[in-house]
Amino acid sequence: MADLKDFAEQLVNLTVKEVNELADILKEEYGIEPAAAAVAVAGGAAGGEEAAEEQTEFDVILKAPGGAKLAVVKLVKELTGLGLKDAKGLVDGAPAPVKEGVSKDEAEALKAQLEEAGAEVELK
């Protein structure tokens, strides 16, 4: 809990220039738009110190599309670069991996985006 408070304090004390740089990094490297950045950053920071002892590659598994299946299909299409038919097939075939062998930060960001769209997601 103290780590999260320290992290929150660091975020609050960022300059405008640093916030813009952070937004650019999140968008370019992780595909996260600034509106979703707070969710992704908070999710990625939760296990930062333990990451050295934990696994380094994660699989993002779509467990269920939830109530907003169309939104999830569109998001899966965008995140994976699949065509509409393939993205729909992946969502219909849940549980199914969306991305495999990604970093913890990227996996957390993908999970946050998919959950925001209404999907049930699991990291392995």
Side-chain angles (χ1 to χ4, degrees), residues 53-102:
E53 298 173 10
E54 296 177 9
Q55 69 188 62
T56 57
E57 291 188 348
F58 294 84
D59 296 340
V60 180
I61 309 296
L62 176 68
K63 290 175 64 176
K69 184 177 170 183
L70 182 60
V72 173
V73 170
K74 287 181 179 179
L75 184 58
V76 167
K77 178 183 179 289
E78 179 183 316
L79 295 173
T80 62
L82 294 172
L84 184 59
K85 182 179 179 181
D86 293 333
K88 183 180 182 305
L90 189 147
V91 172
D92 286 341
V98 175
K99 282 205 173 182
E100 297 177 312
V102 296

Side-chain angles (χ1 to χ4, degrees), residues 4-86:
L4 291 175
K5 286 185 179 184
D6 291 341
F7 180 70
E9 186 173 326
Q10 288 175 344
L11 284 176
V12 170
N13 292 324
L14 289 177
T15 65
V16 173
K17 182 179 178 184
E18 290 169 327
V19 169
N20 286 331
E21 289 175 6
L22 176 62
D24 289 341
I25 290 169
L26 291 172
K27 186 174 182 181
E28 293 172 10
E29 293 185 20
Y30 300 103
I32 301 169
E33 291 294 328
V39 173
V41 169
E49 292 181 9
E50 300 170 3
E53 298 173 10
E54 296 177 9
Q55 69 188 62
T56 57
E57 291 188 348
F58 294 84
D59 296 340
V60 180
I61 309 296
L62 176 68
K63 290 175 64 176
K69 184 177 170 183
L70 182 60
V72 173
V73 170
K74 287 181 179 179
L75 184 58
V76 167
K77 178 183 179 289
E78 179 183 316
L79 295 173
T80 62
L82 294 172
L84 184 59
K85 182 179 179 181
D86 293 333

